[in-house]
Amino acid sequence: MGALIYEIYPAAIGTFNDITKLIPQIAKNIGPDFIWLSPCFESPWEDGGYDVSDYYEVNSRFGTMADFNELVATAREFNIGILLDLVLHHTSNQHRWFREAEKGNPDFVDYYLWSNKPRRWDNFFGGSAFSFDPKKGQYYQHLFSSSQPDLNFRNPRVIDEFIDIMDFWKGLGVAGFRFDSTNILIDSRLRAGCLPHIGGFWKYLQTRQTVKVLAELTEDPDLFFLAEPVGGELFSRNMLNQLYFKTGFDAIFNIGTLDVADTSFSRKDRLMPINYKRWLNTLVRWSVESGFAVALESHDTPRATSRFRADPRALAMLQFLLPCEFPCLYQGQEFGTVNPHLSDNIGDYDDVLSRNTYYNLIGEGMNERDAIEVVKHWSRQNARTPVDWQQYDSQTDPDSTLAFYRKLIDLWRNNDVITYGDLEIKTIDNSGVIEFCRRRYFKRYHIRIDLTGKTESYLKNIDGKKVLCVPARV
């Protein structure tokens, strides 16, 4: 048996105290083993908290350390562990380490990656992966925003810093960590500089040195470790096995497996028709792998119901009835939350990736109307807007999406066929229909899921009786 993980993006809720008040409802309705908090460290908030300026302080926008401690204690009362989102790959350029490095402090210069001449690498948000620092008189590397300088994990002191950071939060009762951008910590010197204008990621993507560092960082058997590798559809089975079997990671969270449905990792600013068959085949292939965490949405993606034009109950069946050791739910997913109506004005977007995507598309010749439509479709703000939590009180209807999630979670936890049974695929087609069987000894379930809701979805037992059913949309 694995663990059910529930992600919360604190900025979309408010404060630690607001989250603490929600925990009893989350425990009652979802019953997760862990709540994963997206970054809540001190940060100038250039990238939604993924630019940390102090790993030992909570962000004052969420409250005080005492408020955080109360959140952890309340979660523990409901047998829920708190996972912190640990941004390893880079810091904020406001972090004390970087400020000391800028000044040439020999104790901190080698915490970052400096060069006299920039390489012709792109960063993930668009533009060069190198920026000139006038104080240092050199270029620093940043695979993400220029406000997020990359750390140098060839320096053992950097590794020791993060071990100390994790020990500090463990002492406050934190149960584990989700490692952001896990597998791009150290570049391969064999790959470096081999091709012009190739994104810097490809020089870094899960090198042997990175796996060794991750093994060192995940040695504590008392902590739960969740990896978030980058690479999307380029992330391979061999890469997953390296992270799962050669490090201390308990689960591997690769939201990029969704990209095969309608985009690609390297060009998420392109809208493509949904290819249900390709996506479902990919999800099936990954679901049977040890340690794989099945997720349909996160703080980095549009809402799944909107993205896949799907019935949220059918999506829930897909997530919990395929083999799934570590299902990851994102806040509000249990209500079937859809994308909000985002602004037509790019100036209203807080998300740095949304803004950069817009201006990159304009620079490539796209008109403003089409560019903003692309941004509205893909923007991370789709997932980072507030959720209507009153639905926990109002959804008493036994046919509601929330009630359906409760039934599926109960099956996932307590039914040995769903928890441990073998998988036999019957059909997958590009209309959004998948049929499969789950078998264990003499027990069997037949499952049919139509994501679009045009036809009935159901789970039948060996006698042909429907245990679960989602009627076709009228």
Side-chain angles (χ1 to χ4, degrees), residues 226-238:
L226 175 65
E228 186 231 15
V230 303
E233 70 276 15
L234 300 177
F235 184 72
S236 67
R237 180 183 181 185
N238 181 55

Side-chain angles (χ1 to χ4, degrees), residues 190-217:
L190 294 176
R191 298 180 197 170
C194 58
L195 288 173
H197 298 297
I198 296 294
F201 280 96
W202 313 130
K203 315 296 194 311
Y204 274 77
L205 191 57
Q206 200 151 316
T207 61
R208 291 179 182 178
Q209 297 94 328
T210 290
V211 175
K212 288 179 181 179
V213 168
L214 291 171
E216 189 173 350
L217 289 168

Side-chain angles (χ1 to χ4, degrees), residues 313 317 399 404 407 456-459 466-472:
R313 295 167 296 174
M317 291 178 71
D399 295 324
F404 201 76
K407 294 175 185 177
E456 185 181 54
S457 297
Y458 55 75
L459 180 150
K466 292 177 183 176
V467 179
L468 287 174
C469 179
V470 179

Side-chain angles (χ1 to χ4, degrees), residues 61-114:
R61 68 169 56 204
F62 302 130
T64 65
M65 189 68 83
D67 297 330
F68 175 81
N69 290 337
E70 183 180 355
L71 187 160
V72 173
T74 301
R76 192 184 297 117
E77 289 176 11
F78 291 92
N79 297 314
I80 299 171
I82 295 296
L83 305 180
L84 290 185
D85 206 328
L86 191 62
V87 186
L88 290 160
H89 174 265
H90 52 261
T91 67
S92 164
N93 59 1
Q94 303 303 309
H95 196 289
R96 180 178 64 89
W97 300 343
F98 189 74
R99 288 182 167 178
E100 291 297 319
E102 281 183 311
K103 294 187 291 188
N105 186 330
D107 291 333
F108 293 98
V109 166
D110 287 341
Y111 274 43
Y112 297 90
L113 299 165
W114 303 92

Side-chain angles (χ1 to χ4, degrees), residues 60-174:
S60 57
R61 68 169 56 204
F62 302 130
T64 65
M65 189 68 83
D67 297 330
F68 175 81
N69 290 337
E70 183 180 355
L71 187 160
V72 173
T74 301
R76 192 184 297 117
E77 289 176 11
F78 291 92
N79 297 314
I80 299 171
I82 295 296
L83 305 180
L84 290 185
D85 206 328
L86 191 62
V87 186
L88 290 160
H89 174 265
H90 52 261
T91 67
S92 164
N93 59 1
Q94 303 303 309
H95 196 289
R96 180 178 64 89
W97 300 343
F98 189 74
R99 288 182 167 178
E100 291 297 319
E102 281 183 311
K103 294 187 291 188
N105 186 330
D107 291 333
F108 293 98
V109 166
D110 287 341
Y111 274 43
Y112 297 90
L113 299 165
W114 303 92
S115 64
N116 293 321
K117 183 179 179 181
R119 294 176 178 173
R120 300 178 72 187
W121 292 3
D122 301 323
N123 73 58
F124 183 67
F125 293 153
S128 174
F130 290 83
S131 289
F132 186 74
D133 186 274
K135 295 179 183 177
K136 183 75 167 56
Q138 286 183 300
Y139 292 86
Y140 64 90
Q141 181 180 302
H142 53 89
L143 296 187
F144 292 85
S145 166
S146 60
S147 66
Q148 297 165 304
D150 295 355
L151 285 161
N152 175 19
F153 276 89
R154 294 188 188 277
N155 182 349
R157 289 188 59 191
V158 172
I159 299 170
D160 292 340
E161 291 277 13
F162 280 100
I163 291 173
D164 290 344
I165 289 165
M166 288 188 286
D167 284 344
F168 171 80
W169 292 102
K170 177 184 176 182
L172 294 180
V174 166

